[in-house]
Amino acid sequence: MSKNRSKSRLFTNARIVDPSQNMDEIGSILVEKGKIAACGADFSRIKFKKKVETIDCKGNCIFPGLVDGRVFIGEPGAEHRETIASASRAAAAGGVTSMVMMPDTDPVIDDVALVEFVRRTADETAEVNVYPTAALTRGLNGREMTEIGLMKQAGAVAFTDGRKTISDALLMRRALTYAGDFDSLIMHYTEDESLSRGGVMNEGLNASRLGLAGIPVEAEVIPLERDLRLVGLTNGRYHAATISTAESANVIKGAKSKGLSVTAGISINHLALNENDIGRYRTFFRLSPPLRTEDDRMAMVEALCDGTIDIIVSNHDPQDVDTKRHPFAEAADGAVGLETMLSAALRLYHNGDVPLLRLIEAMTSAPARLFGLPGGSLEPGKPADLIVVDIDEPWVLHEGDLRSRSKNSPFEGARFQGRVLQTLVAGRTIYAHES
Amino acid sequence: MANFKNTSLVFPHRHLLGIETLSPTDIETLLDLSDKSVAVSRQVEKKKNTLRGRTQINLFFESSTRTQSSFELAGKRLGADVMNMSVGSSSVKKGETLIDTAMTLNAMKPDILVVRHQAAGAAELLAQKVDCSVINAGDGAHEHPTQALLDALTIRRAKGKIARLTVAICGDVLHSRVARSNIILLNALGARVRVIAPKTLLPIGIEELGVEVFTRMEAGLKDVDIVMMLRLQRERMTGSFVPSIREYFRFFGLDRTRLEIAKPDALVMHPGPMNRGVEISSEIADGPRSLIQEQVEMGVAVRMAVIEAIIDNHAVDPSNADGGTA
């Protein structure tokens, strides 16, 4: 391990795609002491030691390691679904080198000691970087603010109530104001619980046909619009965690054009799937927010291209048979996604929907910038978190291949084009695909 | 070929999960078969031997005296051993899931599982997990296929046909599996279907299921041949979907004045249990134009036909594999 770390490695003959440098060229990358020492086509002026291990990438791509901005993990409290260690293994296989972990655990991460617990456990058991977020309200109760300043000092990269929406507008206003003093990011999932009550899928003809109660688009847009007005009032930093509708993209776009400090994320599921995938009550497609129509999906793709949507997240949410093997209306929301985010996203590139640089930016430099993380770039001096990817290799996902403790993938049996061959964190190979 | 029966093979389904999966021919086949079962039920000797030695389990997660006893009688008249299992919501809370319960019953080797569950898709989920035939006796707000079949049989016997009749389905369509199954079935057989309800009780996109939408009884009942009333749950009429019982009855209840808007020979149906004075007046419910008692009788006949068709198809399947076609 230490040998691996100290040794200099030279990756040659690679297609380097690094949005942080606006780079898409054939070249080489030199890794020394866990950092990127040199990167690009022009290696003439770089001098390096003779004892360097050279790896011929044979024309495959090198991307910065992915930064996943929304990962639910079962530790502490639901280790049977996922531990930090098992999520880390899944992440490595999916090319994710940094995970932003959500605070919806048991106990909730709403205290300095718990932020430290996550960081310590990650140090001891995880091979990828794990960055905790902390709850915005105590115990996710939606009423009292947590110690935003102290937890930020302890390492919390953002504040969020996870799957929950804060209904109290005054609390949201104060949280935005207070967090603004610490330059802390507030990340919010918006779903008006009173409007979506009882709903289990997107409202519309499909839901009516299946006899399922629907969640209207307005349940997402109404609290989002409220939040954006509060951002205008407070000048806080606000990130819409996962939007899913064309109308949400419109209001985000409006807020951005006013110069507000607003960003938006989208789960890979909402770029790759739509409500028709639910078919005959397939609970692995029961998600939060719900899968929407194909029109919404296409609007999301467009919003990603034009920069209205800033980042793509896996929204990794491990659920086991206890919570998924039920009739659709009684099953839990959520899908695992760490291992399939990149391959599912590459569909958008292969279809010609999204340029490769923009696609990779939304999973690397954009989230790194948003959360203030060191990774997500191949610039010299940055940590050597990188992935070698064959963007053309066809493969089929089988449930048994998943490293996550939970197997609730909506992509089971799906055909992909493009997979991770090797994952490096701080210069060390933590995953290599066996072909 | 020894056990070839003239009713078999024409119904190519292992389960009855919904009307949506049936072709118009399948539906006609079941209705023809049901007519024969009506005759059996009207004999003094009501028992057949078709299902001797077979086990039918009625698995009801929601209580329903009417549907459950109808299925029980149907099974018994065919000679099956029938077991009733009412799984209250309390035992579900003890932690056993629907699938656990189903697997337990499956291990007892029943031939037919009749299931009623509060969640849409529950019958389909069970059908994927068990080895026997599954009959959907109502799954959430999704489907209630035997109810739609018995309604169709009642209409066909009363009017002599279904095609080109105008049928108005009135009331809580939003929560009604009966309405969904009926809309699909009546459309399949060529009837004109209307729904009449306040918009709060109509599902989004209902027009696209092939119905005309009315929000006033006065307009919707005009030229109607069949008025099909739906039950409105009491908890839904105290402000959550409609403001009050009296307001609902005033605007959406069926009484003599309203029925006069329909065709002079229009007939009235209700899947039961009725809320007298809420969706229907007693005068109409018990009057000469009511088909409500016939519906109950047809219920047993339709369920006999469904069970028989499914079991026949099942039994003949293997021998059919070597070329014996009808």
Side-chain angles (χ1 to χ4, degrees):
Chain A
M1 201 157 82
S2 55
K3 183 180 150 216
N4 198 347
R5 183 172 292 160
S6 60
K7 191 159 45 177
S8 301
R9 297 162 92 189
L10 180 68
F11 293 83
T12 61
N13 192 20
R15 177 179 171 191
I16 303 169
V17 179
D18 181 14
S20 72
Q21 307 175 76
N22 200 24
M23 179 187 284
D24 183 355
E25 60 194 37
I26 304 291
S28 304
I29 289 181
L30 179 63
V31 172
E32 270 178 347
K33 296 186 179 113
K35 297 206 182 303
I36 307 280
C39 166
D42 181 15
F43 253 59
S44 50
R45 287 177 298 123
I46 308 291
K47 54 179 194 307
F48 43 86
K49 291 176 275 182
K50 278 177 199 156
K51 265 189 70 180
V52 60
E53 182 194 355
T54 305
I55 297 127
D56 182 359
C57 295
K58 297 173 184 154
N60 285 318
C61 287
I62 290 185
F63 303 151
L66 307 184
V67 178
D68 188 345
R70 190 170 165 91
V71 179
F72 295 91
I73 298 178
E75 185 172 1
E79 286 83 355
H80 62 292
R81 288 184 202 156
E82 196 84 287
T83 60
I84 290 174
S86 68
S88 162
R89 284 192 292 275
V96 173
T97 55
S98 296
M99 304 189 281
V100 173
M101 176 177 156
M102 302 302 288
D104 312 38
T105 47
D106 183 15
V108 171
I109 301 166
D110 62 356
D111 185 274
V112 171
L114 283 146
V115 175
E116 284 168 351
F117 165 82
V118 171
R119 296 192 59 192
R120 198 169 56 243
T121 310
D123 276 348
E124 287 164 5
T125 66
E127 294 188 298
V128 303
N129 306 301
V130 179
Y131 300 100
T133 60
L136 185 55
T137 65
R138 286 207 180 104
L140 308 176
N141 68 10
R143 289 189 301 274
E144 305 133 72
M145 242 191 283
T146 52
E147 295 167 322
I148 291 174
L150 290 173
M151 288 197 288
K152 177 164 186 172
Q153 277 185 352
V157 296
F159 295 84
T160 175
D161 271 7
R163 299 177 178 88
K164 287 192 163 178
T165 302
I166 290 169
S167 58
D168 185 332
L170 180 58
L171 177 76
M172 192 49 143
R173 175 186 180 175
R174 287 190 183 136
L176 279 163
T177 308
Y178 188 80
D181 291 345
F182 291 90
D183 195 31
S184 288
L185 178 69
I186 287 189
M187 176 159 59
H188 200 209
Y189 168 66
T190 56
E191 181 179 305
D192 186 313
E193 282 169 5
S194 58
L195 196 50
S196 69
R197 195 182 302 135
V200 297
M201 72 173 284
N202 186 42
E203 183 174 283
L205 181 61
N206 270 338
S208 295
R209 230 186 257 280
L210 291 169
L212 295 171
I215 300 173
V217 161
E218 286 70 17
E220 174 173 305
V221 183
I222 291 171
L224 179 62
E225 284 195 299
R226 177 205 70 177
D227 285 356
L228 296 178
R229 289 190 180 273
L230 292 174
V231 173
L233 186 64
T234 59
N235 272 322
R237 277 177 69 209
Y238 180 88
H239 176 66
T242 51
I243 65 170
S244 66
T245 81
E247 201 43 46
S248 297
N250 283 341
V251 300
I252 293 279
K253 200 172 198 170
K256 284 186 168 183
S257 72
K258 282 185 213 156
L260 300 181
S261 177
V262 167
T263 50
I266 184 164
S267 97
I268 184 63
N269 302 313
H270 291 81
L271 289 170
L273 307 168
N274 67 32
E275 61 170 2
N276 297 323
D277 288 299
I278 290 168
R280 303 302 301 178
Y281 306 102
R282 296 161 76 191
T283 57
F284 284 8
F285 293 84
R286 183 173 164 174
L287 305 176
S288 173
L291 289 172
R292 304 284 187 184
T293 63
E294 177 62 8
D295 285 348
D296 280 313
R297 190 194 71 85
M298 288 192 306
M300 294 296 95
V301 171
E302 200 188 312
L304 175 67
C305 287
D306 72 17
T308 303
I309 290 174
D310 301 86
I311 69 168
I312 301 173
V313 299
S314 71
N315 211 13
H316 182 81
D317 192 351
Q319 300 288 337
D320 59 8
V321 291
D322 290 353
T323 50
K324 279 290 189 187
R325 276 185 73 199
H326 290 285
F328 194 87
E330 296 173 358
D333 292 319
V336 292
L338 281 166
E339 289 167 78
T340 47
M341 176 164 71
L342 179 63
S343 296
L346 283 172
R347 283 183 176 176
L348 301 174
Y349 161 69
H350 290 300
N351 292 345
D353 288 337
V354 186
L356 190 59
L357 264 175
R358 173 68 196 118
L359 193 65
I360 301 306
E361 181 187 20
M363 294 184 285
T364 57
S365 54
R369 200 180 323 121
L370 178 63
F371 295 103
L373 311 181
S377 164
L378 299 174
E379 263 183 88
K382 292 278 186 180
D385 296 352
L386 62 86
I387 54 179
V388 183
V389 179
D390 179 342
I391 59 167
D392 292 315
E393 190 191 321
W395 63 290
V396 177
L397 179 75
H398 301 294
E399 186 195 289
D401 303 338
L402 290 170
R403 282 158 186 78
S404 174
R405 278 204 181 165
S406 294
K407 311 296 180 193
N408 54 311
S409 171
F411 294 105
E412 190 191 331
R415 288 159 200 281
F416 289 124
Q417 190 181 351
R419 81 186 309 165
V420 176
L421 300 179
Q422 214 180 120
T423 304
L424 276 75
V425 170
R428 195 165 74 80
T429 300
I430 60 164
Y431 169 81
H433 172 62
E434 293 155 20
S435 51
Chain B
M1 296 304 281
N3 59 354
F4 178 86
K5 299 185 195 78
N6 59 358
T7 55
S8 53
L9 306 178
V10 287
F11 186 73
H13 298 275
R14 202 175 155 221
H15 309 291
L16 179 67
L17 303 176
I19 299 295
E20 209 175 4
T21 51
L22 300 183
S23 68
T25 319
D26 292 337
I27 296 168
E28 300 277 11
T29 303
L30 287 175
L31 295 182
D32 294 346
L33 204 53
S34 303
D35 272 327
K36 290 182 191 154
S37 301
V38 175
V40 172
S41 291
R42 286 181 180 175
Q43 294 165 11
V44 179
E45 168 62 57
K46 296 181 174 60
K47 200 133 178 165
K48 290 178 77 177
N49 280 327
T50 332
L51 260 73
R52 195 169 57 196
R54 305 295 185 119
T55 308
Q56 171 187 335
I57 298 182
N58 297 335
L59 178 60
F60 277 60
F61 289 87
E62 274 181 345
S63 61
S64 159
T65 323
R66 175 180 299 255
T67 308
Q68 184 168 327
S69 46
S70 183
F71 269 109
E72 184 178 350
L73 261 186
K76 285 182 171 164
R77 284 189 183 164
L78 293 170
D81 296 313
V82 184
M83 189 181 96
N84 287 320
M85 282 213 31
S86 297
V87 191
S89 50
S90 60
S91 60
V92 176
K93 277 180 189 141
K94 279 179 198 158
E96 195 172 64
T97 66
L98 169 67
I99 291 175
D100 291 337
T101 310
M103 294 317 287
T104 306
L105 292 177
N106 189 50
M108 300 176 191
K109 309 285 179 219
D111 301 282
I112 293 187
L113 201 56
V114 177
V115 63
R116 149 89 45 113
H117 195 275
Q118 67 278 3
E124 264 185 68
L125 183 62
L126 278 190
Q128 290 163 17
K129 305 287 172 186
V130 299
D131 305 315
C132 63
S133 290
V134 174
I135 297 177
N136 183 3
D139 62 327
H142 179 227
E143 282 228 45
H144 191 355
T146 56
Q147 178 72 42
L149 287 164
L150 78 87
D151 288 342
L153 182 66
T154 310
I155 297 172
R156 202 174 78 165
R157 289 173 69 100
K159 293 280 186 190
K161 61 169 186 180
I162 288 172
R164 288 181 304 284
L165 291 180
T166 302
V167 182
I169 302 175
C170 314
D172 186 1
V173 179
L174 180 64
H175 301 97
S176 177
R177 50 192 169 221
V178 176
R180 274 179 187 69
S181 289
N182 265 314
I183 289 169
I184 303 168
L185 188 153
L186 293 167
N187 267 314
L189 295 191
R192 285 184 286 260
V193 187
R194 299 176 177 180
V195 294
I196 314 175
K199 282 255 170 70
T200 48
L201 292 176
L202 286 174
I204 302 287
I206 179 87
E207 313 80 16
E208 291 170 65
L209 295 180
V211 299
E212 264 189 283
V213 177
F214 292 87
T215 52
R216 282 279 173 275
M217 292 289 267
E218 288 71 16
L221 287 178
K222 214 159 181 240
D223 302 323
V224 158
D225 296 288
I226 299 285
V227 186
M228 206 179 260
M229 301 307 295
L230 296 173
R231 176 183 168 78
L232 180 63
Q233 303 281 347
R234 287 198 171 261
E235 62 269 22
R236 288 177 187 142
M237 38 183 149
T238 51
S240 51
F241 290 89
V242 293
S244 69
I245 293 177
R246 69 172 185 181
E247 179 153 325
Y248 186 77
F249 186 70
R250 180 74 61 83
F251 291 99
F252 296 96
L254 186 67
D255 57 15
R256 187 161 33 144
T257 343
R258 290 249 162 74
L259 189 53
E260 274 166 15
I261 304 167
K263 279 192 184 163
D265 60 347
L267 297 171
V268 178
M269 301 172 73
H270 193 297
M274 281 180 284
N275 292 308
R276 291 167 183 267
V278 176
E279 65 253 357
I280 191 164
S281 73
S282 284
E283 188 193 359
I284 298 297
D286 306 328
R289 292 162 75 178
S290 164
L291 290 172
I292 295 170
Q293 293 308 314
E294 280 82 349
Q295 284 176 277
V296 178
E297 185 190 353
M298 294 310 124
V300 179
V302 154
R303 284 159 188 138
M304 286 171 75
V306 166
I307 294 168
E308 225 173 353
I310 281 175
I311 286 291
D312 271 357
N313 157 46
H314 223 10
V316 174
D317 241 2
S319 61
N320 185 37
D322 49 51
T325 46

